[in-house]
PDB file of all heavy atoms in Angstrom:
ATOM      1  N   GLU T   1     -10.497 -77.335 -34.004  1.00 93.00           N
ATOM      2  CA  GLU T   1      -9.171 -77.922 -33.769  1.00 93.00           C
ATOM      3  C   GLU T   1      -8.313 -77.600 -34.998  1.00 93.00           C
ATOM      4  O   GLU T   1      -8.744 -77.968 -36.117  1.00 93.00           O
ATOM      5  CB  GLU T   1      -9.203 -79.367 -33.455  1.00 93.00           C
ATOM      6  CG  GLU T   1     -10.082 -79.695 -32.310  1.00 93.00           C
ATOM      7  CD  GLU T   1     -10.387 -81.274 -32.270  1.00 93.00           C
ATOM      8  OE1 GLU T   1      -9.554 -81.953 -32.791  1.00 93.00           O
ATOM      9  OE2 GLU T   1     -11.448 -81.610 -31.786  1.00 93.00           O
ATOM     10  N   ILE T   2      -7.202 -76.979 -34.915  1.00 94.00           N
ATOM     11  CA  ILE T   2      -6.423 -76.513 -36.009  1.00 94.00           C
ATOM     12  C   ILE T   2      -5.085 -77.237 -36.037  1.00 94.00           C
ATOM     13  O   ILE T   2      -4.354 -77.221 -35.013  1.00 94.00           O
ATOM     14  CB  ILE T   2      -6.172 -75.027 -36.017  1.00 94.00           C
ATOM     15  CG1 ILE T   2      -7.556 -74.303 -35.962  1.00 94.00           C
ATOM     16  CG2 ILE T   2      -5.358 -74.560 -37.237  1.00 94.00           C
ATOM     17  CD1 ILE T   2      -7.456 -72.722 -35.864  1.00 94.00           C
ATOM     18  N   ASP T   3      -4.677 -77.903 -37.116  1.00 96.00           N
ATOM     19  CA  ASP T   3      -3.520 -78.630 -37.297  1.00 96.00           C
ATOM     20  C   ASP T   3      -2.759 -78.087 -38.500  1.00 96.00           C
ATOM     21  O   ASP T   3      -3.295 -78.127 -39.630  1.00 96.00           O
ATOM     22  CB  ASP T   3      -3.825 -80.100 -37.449  1.00 96.00           C
ATOM     23  CG  ASP T   3      -2.575 -80.973 -37.685  1.00 96.00           C
ATOM     24  OD1 ASP T   3      -1.485 -80.604 -37.191  1.00 96.00           O
ATOM     25  OD2 ASP T   3      -2.721 -82.031 -38.364  1.00 96.00           O
ATOM     26  N   CYS T   4      -1.524 -77.577 -38.282  1.00 97.00           N
ATOM     27  CA  CYS T   4      -0.698 -77.043 -39.321  1.00 97.00           C
ATOM     28  C   CYS T   4       0.021 -78.255 -39.953  1.00 97.00           C
ATOM     29  O   CYS T   4       0.744 -78.935 -39.331  1.00 97.00           O
ATOM     30  CB  CYS T   4       0.286 -76.090 -38.833  1.00 97.00           C
ATOM     31  SG  CYS T   4       1.395 -75.302 -40.050  1.00 97.00           S
ATOM     32  N   ILE T   5      -0.257 -78.381 -41.298  1.00 97.00           N
ATOM     33  CA  ILE T   5       0.318 -79.493 -41.970  1.00 97.00           C
ATOM     34  C   ILE T   5       1.477 -79.139 -42.946  1.00 97.00           C
ATOM     35  O   ILE T   5       2.105 -79.949 -43.485  1.00 97.00           O
ATOM     36  CB  ILE T   5      -0.759 -80.272 -42.702  1.00 97.00           C
ATOM     37  CG1 ILE T   5      -1.530 -79.475 -43.724  1.00 97.00           C
ATOM     38  CG2 ILE T   5      -1.720 -80.905 -41.714  1.00 97.00           C
ATOM     39  CD1 ILE T   5      -2.524 -80.250 -44.561  1.00 97.00           C
ATOM     40  N   ALA T   6       1.664 -77.797 -43.203  1.00 98.00           N
ATOM     41  CA  ALA T   6       2.759 -77.415 -44.023  1.00 98.00           C
ATOM     42  C   ALA T   6       3.051 -75.881 -43.781  1.00 98.00           C
ATOM     43  O   ALA T   6       2.100 -75.095 -43.394  1.00 98.00           O
ATOM     44  CB  ALA T   6       2.354 -77.547 -45.509  1.00 98.00           C
ATOM     45  N   PHE T   7       4.312 -75.557 -43.840  1.00 98.00           N
ATOM     46  CA  PHE T   7       4.670 -74.147 -43.726  1.00 98.00           C
ATOM     47  C   PHE T   7       6.019 -73.955 -44.468  1.00 98.00           C
ATOM     48  O   PHE T   7       6.939 -74.863 -44.451  1.00 98.00           O
ATOM     49  CB  PHE T   7       4.941 -73.793 -42.235  1.00 98.00           C
ATOM     50  CG  PHE T   7       5.300 -72.336 -42.022  1.00 98.00           C
ATOM     51  CD1 PHE T   7       4.354 -71.394 -41.732  1.00 98.00           C
ATOM     52  CD2 PHE T   7       6.653 -71.932 -42.031  1.00 98.00           C
ATOM     53  CE1 PHE T   7       4.613 -70.055 -41.511  1.00 98.00           C
ATOM     54  CE2 PHE T   7       6.979 -70.619 -41.841  1.00 98.00           C
ATOM     55  CZ  PHE T   7       5.976 -69.680 -41.592  1.00 98.00           C
ATOM     56  N   GLY T   8       6.127 -72.848 -45.137  1.00 97.00           N
ATOM     57  CA  GLY T   8       7.425 -72.553 -45.822  1.00 97.00           C
ATOM     58  C   GLY T   8       7.496 -71.152 -46.438  1.00 97.00           C
ATOM     59  O   GLY T   8       6.497 -70.480 -46.555  1.00 97.00           O
ATOM     60  N   ARG T   9       8.678 -70.825 -46.878  1.00 98.00           N
ATOM     61  CA  ARG T   9       8.869 -69.528 -47.619  1.00 98.00           C
ATOM     62  C   ARG T   9       8.975 -69.847 -49.092  1.00 98.00           C
ATOM     63  O   ARG T   9       9.827 -70.623 -49.452  1.00 98.00           O
ATOM     64  CB  ARG T   9      10.113 -68.864 -47.062  1.00 98.00           C
ATOM     65  CG  ARG T   9      10.414 -67.447 -47.686  1.00 98.00           C
ATOM     66  CD  ARG T   9      11.785 -66.911 -47.166  1.00 98.00           C
ATOM     67  NE  ARG T   9      12.209 -65.758 -47.805  1.00 98.00           N
ATOM     68  CZ  ARG T   9      12.137 -64.518 -47.262  1.00 98.00           C
ATOM     69  NH1 ARG T   9      11.677 -64.310 -46.131  1.00 98.00           N
ATOM     70  NH2 ARG T   9      12.602 -63.460 -47.967  1.00 98.00           N
ATOM     71  N   GLU T  10       8.151 -69.231 -49.886  1.00 97.00           N
ATOM     72  CA  GLU T  10       8.085 -69.526 -51.293  1.00 97.00           C
ATOM     73  C   GLU T  10       8.081 -68.253 -52.083  1.00 97.00           C
ATOM     74  O   GLU T  10       8.268 -67.126 -51.587  1.00 97.00           O
ATOM     75  CB  GLU T  10       6.811 -70.373 -51.505  1.00 97.00           C
ATOM     76  CG  GLU T  10       6.560 -71.569 -50.734  1.00 97.00           C
ATOM     77  CD  GLU T  10       7.599 -72.692 -51.040  1.00 97.00           C
ATOM     78  OE1 GLU T  10       8.239 -72.620 -52.090  1.00 97.00           O
ATOM     79  OE2 GLU T  10       7.689 -73.559 -50.215  1.00 97.00           O
ATOM     80  N   ARG T  11       7.904 -68.350 -53.372  1.00 98.00           N
ATOM     81  CA  ARG T  11       7.805 -67.224 -54.324  1.00 98.00           C
ATOM     82  C   ARG T  11       6.354 -67.039 -54.710  1.00 98.00           C
ATOM     83  O   ARG T  11       5.708 -68.059 -55.014  1.00 98.00           O
ATOM     84  CB  ARG T  11       8.725 -67.362 -55.532  1.00 98.00           C
ATOM     85  CG  ARG T  11      10.094 -67.475 -55.181  1.00 98.00           C
ATOM     86  CD  ARG T  11      10.659 -66.095 -54.812  1.00 98.00           C
ATOM     87  NE  ARG T  11      12.091 -66.179 -54.401  1.00 98.00           N
ATOM     88  CZ  ARG T  11      12.769 -65.128 -53.971  1.00 98.00           C
ATOM     89  NH1 ARG T  11      12.174 -63.949 -53.910  1.00 98.00           N
ATOM     90  NH2 ARG T  11      14.078 -65.230 -53.601  1.00 98.00           N
ATOM     91  N   ALA T  12       5.902 -65.796 -54.723  1.00 98.00           N
ATOM     92  CA  ALA T  12       4.465 -65.573 -55.018  1.00 98.00           C
ATOM     93  C   ALA T  12       4.109 -65.899 -56.445  1.00 98.00           C
ATOM     94  O   ALA T  12       4.849 -65.619 -57.416  1.00 98.00           O
ATOM     95  CB  ALA T  12       4.165 -64.115 -54.871  1.00 98.00           C
ATOM     96  N   THR T  13       3.010 -66.640 -56.599  1.00 98.00           N
ATOM     97  CA  THR T  13       2.452 -67.031 -57.916  1.00 98.00           C
ATOM     98  C   THR T  13       1.712 -65.741 -58.407  1.00 98.00           C
ATOM     99  O   THR T  13       1.542 -64.817 -57.772  1.00 98.00           O
ATOM    100  CB  THR T  13       1.469 -68.188 -57.797  1.00 98.00           C
ATOM    101  OG1 THR T  13       0.349 -67.786 -56.930  1.00 98.00           O
ATOM    102  CG2 THR T  13       2.116 -69.399 -57.187  1.00 98.00           C
ATOM    103  N   GLU T  14       1.304 -65.879 -59.667  1.00 98.00           N
ATOM    104  CA  GLU T  14       0.493 -64.818 -60.282  1.00 98.00           C
ATOM    105  C   GLU T  14      -0.820 -64.526 -59.485  1.00 98.00           C
ATOM    106  O   GLU T  14      -1.146 -63.375 -59.258  1.00 98.00           O
ATOM    107  CB  GLU T  14       0.144 -65.158 -61.785  1.00 98.00           C
ATOM    108  CG  GLU T  14       1.339 -64.991 -62.708  1.00 98.00           C
ATOM    109  CD  GLU T  14       0.846 -65.192 -64.162  1.00 98.00           C
ATOM    110  OE1 GLU T  14      -0.349 -65.157 -64.391  1.00 98.00           O
ATOM    111  OE2 GLU T  14       1.743 -65.389 -65.006  1.00 98.00           O
ATOM    112  N   GLN T  15      -1.423 -65.551 -59.064  1.00 97.00           N
ATOM    113  CA  GLN T  15      -2.717 -65.499 -58.270  1.00 97.00           C
ATOM    114  C   GLN T  15      -2.372 -64.794 -56.954  1.00 97.00           C
ATOM    115  O   GLN T  15      -3.178 -63.870 -56.501  1.00 97.00           O
ATOM    116  CB  GLN T  15      -3.300 -66.809 -58.056  1.00 97.00           C
ATOM    117  CG  GLN T  15      -4.715 -66.802 -57.352  1.00 97.00           C
ATOM    118  CD  GLN T  15      -5.291 -68.165 -57.255  1.00 97.00           C
ATOM    119  OE1 GLN T  15      -4.535 -69.185 -57.042  1.00 97.00           O
ATOM    120  NE2 GLN T  15      -6.548 -68.254 -57.347  1.00 97.00           N
ATOM    121  N   GLU T  16      -1.387 -65.245 -56.225  1.00 98.00           N
ATOM    122  CA  GLU T  16      -1.005 -64.643 -54.901  1.00 98.00           C
ATOM    123  C   GLU T  16      -0.617 -63.124 -55.139  1.00 98.00           C
ATOM    124  O   GLU T  16      -1.016 -62.284 -54.354  1.00 98.00           O
ATOM    125  CB  GLU T  16       0.051 -65.415 -54.291  1.00 98.00           C
ATOM    126  CG  GLU T  16      -0.309 -66.770 -53.837  1.00 98.00           C
ATOM    127  CD  GLU T  16       0.809 -67.672 -53.369  1.00 98.00           C
ATOM    128  OE1 GLU T  16       1.952 -67.484 -54.034  1.00 98.00           O
ATOM    129  OE2 GLU T  16       0.691 -68.466 -52.524  1.00 98.00           O
ATOM    130  N   ALA T  17       0.209 -62.903 -56.136  1.00 98.00           N
ATOM    131  CA  ALA T  17       0.697 -61.516 -56.354  1.00 98.00           C
ATOM    132  C   ALA T  17      -0.398 -60.573 -56.651  1.00 98.00           C
ATOM    133  O   ALA T  17      -0.461 -59.480 -56.170  1.00 98.00           O
ATOM    134  CB  ALA T  17       1.736 -61.510 -57.493  1.00 98.00           C
ATOM    135  N   ALA T  18      -1.375 -61.020 -57.469  1.00 98.00           N
ATOM    136  CA  ALA T  18      -2.450 -60.176 -57.822  1.00 98.00           C
ATOM    137  C   ALA T  18      -3.312 -59.801 -56.613  1.00 98.00           C
ATOM    138  O   ALA T  18      -3.735 -58.662 -56.353  1.00 98.00           O
ATOM    139  CB  ALA T  18      -3.329 -60.797 -58.930  1.00 98.00           C
ATOM    140  N   ALA T  19      -3.590 -60.853 -55.783  1.00 98.00           N
ATOM    141  CA  ALA T  19      -4.344 -60.621 -54.573  1.00 98.00           C
ATOM    142  C   ALA T  19      -3.677 -59.750 -53.546  1.00 98.00           C
ATOM    143  O   ALA T  19      -4.321 -58.873 -52.958  1.00 98.00           O
ATOM    144  CB  ALA T  19      -4.744 -61.990 -53.918  1.00 98.00           C
ATOM    145  N   LEU T  20      -2.352 -60.033 -53.309  1.00 98.00           N
ATOM    146  CA  LEU T  20      -1.644 -59.286 -52.260  1.00 98.00           C
ATOM    147  C   LEU T  20      -1.046 -57.971 -52.823  1.00 98.00           C
ATOM    148  O   LEU T  20      -0.409 -57.314 -51.984  1.00 98.00           O
ATOM    149  CB  LEU T  20      -0.614 -60.231 -51.720  1.00 98.00           C
ATOM    150  CG  LEU T  20      -1.081 -61.454 -51.024  1.00 98.00           C
ATOM    151  CD1 LEU T  20       0.061 -62.385 -50.671  1.00 98.00           C
ATOM    152  CD2 LEU T  20      -1.833 -61.096 -49.787  1.00 98.00           C
ATOM    153  N   ARG T  21      -1.188 -57.732 -54.045  1.00 98.00           N
ATOM    154  CA  ARG T  21      -0.644 -56.481 -54.666  1.00 98.00           C
ATOM    155  C   ARG T  21       0.891 -56.356 -54.517  1.00 98.00           C
ATOM    156  O   ARG T  21       1.437 -55.378 -54.053  1.00 98.00           O
ATOM    157  CB  ARG T  21      -1.363 -55.222 -54.054  1.00 98.00           C
ATOM    158  CG  ARG T  21      -2.794 -55.136 -54.290  1.00 98.00           C
ATOM    159  CD  ARG T  21      -3.453 -53.909 -53.691  1.00 98.00           C
ATOM    160  NE  ARG T  21      -4.763 -54.117 -53.368  1.00 98.00           N
ATOM    161  CZ  ARG T  21      -5.430 -53.264 -52.546  1.00 98.00           C
ATOM    162  NH1 ARG T  21      -4.871 -52.327 -51.863  1.00 98.00           N
ATOM    163  NH2 ARG T  21      -6.784 -53.449 -52.371  1.00 98.00           N
ATOM    164  N   ILE T  22       1.513 -57.464 -54.833  1.00 98.00           N
ATOM    165  CA  ILE T  22       2.925 -57.498 -54.850  1.00 98.00           C
ATOM    166  C   ILE T  22       3.387 -58.108 -56.267  1.00 98.00           C
ATOM    167  O   ILE T  22       2.496 -58.468 -57.044  1.00 98.00           O
ATOM    168  CB  ILE T  22       3.563 -58.457 -53.696  1.00 98.00           C
ATOM    169  CG1 ILE T  22       2.991 -59.898 -53.901  1.00 98.00           C
ATOM    170  CG2 ILE T  22       3.160 -57.897 -52.369  1.00 98.00           C
ATOM    171  CD1 ILE T  22       3.521 -60.801 -52.831  1.00 98.00           C
ATOM    172  N   LYS T  23       4.647 -58.175 -56.489  1.00 98.00           N
ATOM    173  CA  LYS T  23       5.139 -58.669 -57.789  1.00 98.00           C
ATOM    174  C   LYS T  23       5.267 -60.113 -57.669  1.00 98.00           C
ATOM    175  O   LYS T  23       5.514 -60.773 -56.722  1.00 98.00           O
ATOM    176  CB  LYS T  23       6.484 -58.011 -58.053  1.00 98.00           C
ATOM    177  CG  LYS T  23       6.474 -56.487 -58.237  1.00 98.00           C
ATOM    178  CD  LYS T  23       7.950 -56.007 -58.566  1.00 98.00           C
ATOM    179  CE  LYS T  23       7.864 -54.480 -58.828  1.00 98.00           C
ATOM    180  NZ  LYS T  23       9.204 -53.935 -59.094  1.00 98.00           N
ATOM    181  N   VAL T  24       5.044 -60.725 -58.946  1.00 98.00           N
ATOM    182  CA  VAL T  24       5.190 -62.195 -59.099  1.00 98.00           C
ATOM    183  C   VAL T  24       6.597 -62.520 -58.713  1.00 98.00           C
ATOM    184  O   VAL T  24       7.547 -61.858 -59.144  1.00 98.00           O
ATOM    185  CB  VAL T  24       4.891 -62.599 -60.509  1.00 98.00           C
ATOM    186  CG1 VAL T  24       5.221 -64.138 -60.718  1.00 98.00           C
ATOM    187  CG2 VAL T  24       3.462 -62.316 -60.821  1.00 98.00           C
ATOM    188  N   GLY T  25       6.796 -63.592 -57.898  1.00 98.00           N
ATOM    189  CA  GLY T  25       8.104 -63.993 -57.517  1.00 98.00           C
ATOM    190  C   GLY T  25       8.636 -63.400 -56.228  1.00 98.00           C
ATOM    191  O   GLY T  25       9.611 -63.865 -55.669  1.00 98.00           O
ATOM    192  N   GLU T  26       7.877 -62.347 -55.674  1.00 98.00           N
ATOM    193  CA  GLU T  26       8.287 -61.862 -54.420  1.00 98.00           C
ATOM    194  C   GLU T  26       8.161 -62.936 -53.364  1.00 98.00           C
ATOM    195  O   GLU T  26       7.205 -63.750 -53.479  1.00 98.00           O
ATOM    196  CB  GLU T  26       7.545 -60.580 -54.058  1.00 98.00           C
ATOM    197  CG  GLU T  26       8.025 -59.342 -54.745  1.00 98.00           C
ATOM    198  CD  GLU T  26       7.396 -58.095 -54.254  1.00 98.00           C
ATOM    199  OE1 GLU T  26       6.999 -58.059 -53.053  1.00 98.00           O
ATOM    200  OE2 GLU T  26       7.308 -57.119 -55.038  1.00 98.00           O
ATOM    201  N   PRO T  27       8.922 -62.871 -52.278  1.00 98.00           N
ATOM    202  CA  PRO T  27       8.763 -63.909 -51.244  1.00 98.00           C
ATOM    203  C   PRO T  27       7.471 -63.847 -50.429  1.00 98.00           C
ATOM    204  O   PRO T  27       7.095 -62.738 -50.121  1.00 98.00           O
ATOM    205  CB  PRO T  27      10.023 -63.705 -50.282  1.00 98.00           C
ATOM    206  CG  PRO T  27      10.420 -62.287 -50.592  1.00 98.00           C
ATOM    207  CD  PRO T  27      10.020 -61.996 -51.989  1.00 98.00           C
ATOM    208  N   VAL T  28       6.901 -65.013 -50.194  1.00 98.00           N
ATOM    209  CA  VAL T  28       5.750 -65.041 -49.331  1.00 98.00           C
ATOM    210  C   VAL T  28       5.899 -66.253 -48.403  1.00 98.00           C
ATOM    211  O   VAL T  28       6.613 -67.168 -48.664  1.00 98.00           O
ATOM    212  CB  VAL T  28       4.426 -65.316 -50.174  1.00 98.00           C
ATOM    213  CG1 VAL T  28       4.143 -64.054 -50.977  1.00 98.00           C
ATOM    214  CG2 VAL T  28       4.554 -66.581 -50.977  1.00 98.00           C
ATOM    215  N   PHE T  29       5.238 -66.177 -47.288  1.00 98.00           N
ATOM    216  CA  PHE T  29       5.147 -67.327 -46.411  1.00 98.00           C
ATOM    217  C   PHE T  29       3.768 -68.038 -46.714  1.00 98.00           C
ATOM    218  O   PHE T  29       2.798 -67.341 -46.813  1.00 98.00           O
ATOM    219  CB  PHE T  29       5.177 -66.876 -44.974  1.00 98.00           C
ATOM    220  CG  PHE T  29       6.521 -66.375 -44.438  1.00 98.00           C
ATOM    221  CD1 PHE T  29       6.752 -65.040 -44.155  1.00 98.00           C
ATOM    222  CD2 PHE T  29       7.591 -67.270 -44.380  1.00 98.00           C
ATOM    223  CE1 PHE T  29       7.955 -64.647 -43.752  1.00 98.00           C
ATOM    224  CE2 PHE T  29       8.830 -66.832 -43.908  1.00 98.00           C
ATOM    225  CZ  PHE T  29       9.015 -65.561 -43.598  1.00 98.00           C
ATOM    226  N   ARG T  30       3.944 -69.330 -46.818  1.00 98.00           N
ATOM    227  CA  ARG T  30       2.688 -70.100 -47.123  1.00 98.00           C
ATOM    228  C   ARG T  30       2.500 -71.075 -45.959  1.00 98.00           C
ATOM    229  O   ARG T  30       3.474 -71.675 -45.479  1.00 98.00           O
ATOM    230  CB  ARG T  30       2.783 -70.866 -48.424  1.00 98.00           C
ATOM    231  CG  ARG T  30       2.695 -70.072 -49.606  1.00 98.00           C
ATOM    232  CD  ARG T  30       2.407 -70.949 -50.910  1.00 98.00           C
ATOM    233  NE  ARG T  30       2.758 -70.217 -52.104  1.00 98.00           N
ATOM    234  CZ  ARG T  30       3.569 -70.620 -53.028  1.00 98.00           C
ATOM    235  NH1 ARG T  30       4.250 -71.768 -52.829  1.00 98.00           N
ATOM    236  NH2 ARG T  30       3.857 -69.847 -54.058  1.00 98.00           N
ATOM    237  N   ALA T  31       1.249 -71.324 -45.610  1.00 98.00           N
ATOM    238  CA  ALA T  31       0.958 -72.299 -44.567  1.00 98.00           C
ATOM    239  C   ALA T  31      -0.316 -73.006 -44.951  1.00 98.00           C
ATOM    240  O   ALA T  31      -1.211 -72.464 -45.682  1.00 98.00           O
ATOM    241  CB  ALA T  31       0.764 -71.630 -43.198  1.00 98.00           C
ATOM    242  N   GLU T  32      -0.360 -74.262 -44.461  1.00 98.00           N
ATOM    243  CA  GLU T  32      -1.626 -75.030 -44.744  1.00 98.00           C
ATOM    244  C   GLU T  32      -2.126 -75.553 -43.392  1.00 98.00           C
ATOM    245  O   GLU T  32      -1.346 -76.125 -42.619  1.00 98.00           O
ATOM    246  CB  GLU T  32      -1.354 -76.233 -45.648  1.00 98.00           C
ATOM    247  CG  GLU T  32      -1.009 -75.853 -47.106  1.00 98.00           C
ATOM    248  CD  GLU T  32      -0.898 -76.999 -47.961  1.00 98.00           C
ATOM    249  OE1 GLU T  32      -1.833 -77.898 -48.006  1.00 98.00           O
ATOM    250  OE2 GLU T  32       0.135 -77.123 -48.689  1.00 98.00           O
ATOM    251  N   ASN T  33      -3.369 -75.354 -43.184  1.00 97.00           N
ATOM    252  CA  ASN T  33      -4.015 -75.768 -41.920  1.00 97.00           C
ATOM    253  C   ASN T  33      -5.204 -76.749 -42.185  1.00 97.00           C
ATOM    254  O   ASN T  33      -5.903 -76.575 -43.184  1.00 97.00           O
ATOM    255  CB  ASN T  33      -4.539 -74.663 -41.058  1.00 97.00           C
ATOM    256  CG  ASN T  33      -3.419 -73.841 -40.427  1.00 97.00           C
ATOM    257  OD1 ASN T  33      -2.368 -74.375 -40.072  1.00 97.00           O
ATOM    258  ND2 ASN T  33      -3.693 -72.604 -40.215  1.00 97.00           N
ATOM    259  N   ARG T  34      -5.290 -77.745 -41.348  1.00 97.00           N
ATOM    260  CA  ARG T  34      -6.480 -78.622 -41.432  1.00 97.00           C
ATOM    261  C   ARG T  34      -7.286 -78.334 -40.256  1.00 97.00           C
ATOM    262  O   ARG T  34      -6.847 -78.329 -39.098  1.00 97.00           O
ATOM    263  CB  ARG T  34      -6.062 -80.029 -41.494  1.00 97.00           C
ATOM    264  CG  ARG T  34      -7.092 -81.061 -41.733  1.00 97.00           C
ATOM    265  CD  ARG T  34      -6.521 -82.425 -42.072  1.00 97.00           C
ATOM    266  NE  ARG T  34      -5.410 -82.764 -41.131  1.00 97.00           N
ATOM    267  CZ  ARG T  34      -4.522 -83.704 -41.358  1.00 97.00           C
ATOM    268  NH1 ARG T  34      -4.555 -84.400 -42.427  1.00 97.00           N
ATOM    269  NH2 ARG T  34      -3.546 -83.983 -40.475  1.00 97.00           N
ATOM    270  N   LEU T  35      -8.620 -78.068 -40.372  1.00 95.00           N
ATOM    271  CA  LEU T  35      -9.543 -77.688 -39.277  1.00 95.00           C
ATOM    272  C   LEU T  35     -10.606 -78.740 -38.970  1.00 95.00           C
ATOM    273  O   LEU T  35     -11.171 -79.221 -40.014  1.00 95.00           O
ATOM    274  CB  LEU T  35     -10.196 -76.340 -39.578  1.00 95.00           C
ATOM    275  CG  LEU T  35      -9.235 -75.054 -39.510  1.00 95.00           C
ATOM    276  CD1 LEU T  35      -8.471 -74.985 -40.788  1.00 95.00           C
ATOM    277  CD2 LEU T  35     -10.101 -73.776 -39.277  1.00 95.00           C
ATOM    278  N   ALA T  36     -10.816 -79.029 -37.841  1.00 94.00           N
ATOM    279  CA  ALA T  36     -11.821 -80.110 -37.463  1.00 94.00           C
ATOM    280  C   ALA T  36     -12.773 -79.559 -36.409  1.00 94.00           C
ATOM    281  O   ALA T  36     -12.464 -78.708 -35.567  1.00 94.00           O
ATOM    282  CB  ALA T  36     -11.106 -81.297 -36.917  1.00 94.00           C
ATOM    283  N   LEU T  37     -14.031 -80.028 -36.556  1.00 92.00           N
ATOM    284  CA  LEU T  37     -15.111 -79.658 -35.577  1.00 92.00           C
ATOM    285  C   LEU T  37     -15.600 -80.977 -35.015  1.00 92.00           C
ATOM    286  O   LEU T  37     -15.948 -81.921 -35.740  1.00 92.00           O
ATOM    287  CB  LEU T  37     -16.285 -78.920 -36.236  1.00 92.00           C
ATOM    288  CG  LEU T  37     -15.957 -77.530 -36.691  1.00 92.00           C
ATOM    289  CD1 LEU T  37     -17.133 -76.940 -37.465  1.00 92.00           C
ATOM    290  CD2 LEU T  37     -15.658 -76.640 -35.401  1.00 92.00           C
ATOM    291  N   GLN T  38     -15.523 -81.104 -33.679  1.00 88.00           N
ATOM    292  CA  GLN T  38     -15.952 -82.289 -32.994  1.00 88.00           C
ATOM    293  C   GLN T  38     -15.259 -83.528 -33.591  1.00 88.00           C
ATOM    294  O   GLN T  38     -15.886 -84.609 -33.699  1.00 88.00           O
ATOM    295  CB  GLN T  38     -17.483 -82.435 -33.070  1.00 88.00           C
ATOM    296  CG  GLN T  38     -18.177 -81.354 -32.340  1.00 88.00           C
ATOM    297  CD  GLN T  38     -19.727 -81.419 -32.539  1.00 88.00           C
ATOM    298  OE1 GLN T  38     -20.229 -82.048 -33.421  1.00 88.00           O
ATOM    299  NE2 GLN T  38     -20.439 -80.672 -31.636  1.00 88.00           N
TER     300      GLN T  38
END
């Protein structure tokens, strides 16, 4: 069971930029989900 608890357009951190191969500060969409089993 998946519950979205946050969503927004933000600026890429150094960690995100390095992983996604984009520049720091470029726009990214971020989401947070909470997952439950039974």
